[in-house]
Amino acid sequence: GPMTKLVEVYKQLSEYQLREVYVNPKHIVAMRQDDRMSSVLKEGQLPDQLDQRQTFTKLYVDRGNTGIDITVVGDLSTIKEKLGLDNRSLLKG
């Protein structure tokens, strides 16, 4: 289907946790590497199952009148591929 499963890093109270999230690739308006989350990982604040070398991608999801941004586990090119955005420009909308 059109939804793609990714793993989101989110903060609950003062702790970072992981959860599955389903994203509609058509609603993603921007993506960039999330360097801040990499720093958080190096500080030891993320769940233990993550490799220290793991990188993260921030997705900006447009939901009509509201936009949300979520951080997911994976580097930019991996996430782009998973979302099927490899062969078409994000600018086409």
Side-chain angles (χ1 to χ4, degrees), residues 18-49:
L18 301 178
R19 65 184 167 197
E20 288 183 353
V21 60
Y22 286 84
V23 178
N24 184 335
K26 289 191 178 73
H27 292 173
I28 292 167
V29 291
M31 303 166 63
R32 64 173 172 79
Q33 186 164 306
D34 191 338
D35 294 324
R36 198 186 70 83
M37 196 58 76
S38 302
S39 309
V40 171
L41 175 63
K42 287 187 176 64
E43 290 160 16
Q45 294 185 56
L46 294 187
D48 291 340
Q49 66 257 50

Side-chain angles (χ1 to χ4, degrees), residues 87-93:
N87 301 319
R88 60 196 174 103
S89 158
L90 281 172
L91 296 172
K92 284 183 190 144

Side-chain angles (χ1 to χ4, degrees), residues 47-70:
D48 291 340
Q49 66 257 50
L50 288 176
D51 188 293
Q52 283 301 301
R53 293 163 307 209
Q54 183 62 61
T55 55
F56 304 91
T57 300
K58 185 165 275 215
L59 304 179
Y60 294 90
V61 186
D62 182 16
R63 297 182 38 213
N65 53 354
T66 59
I68 56 167
D69 58 88
I70 60 172

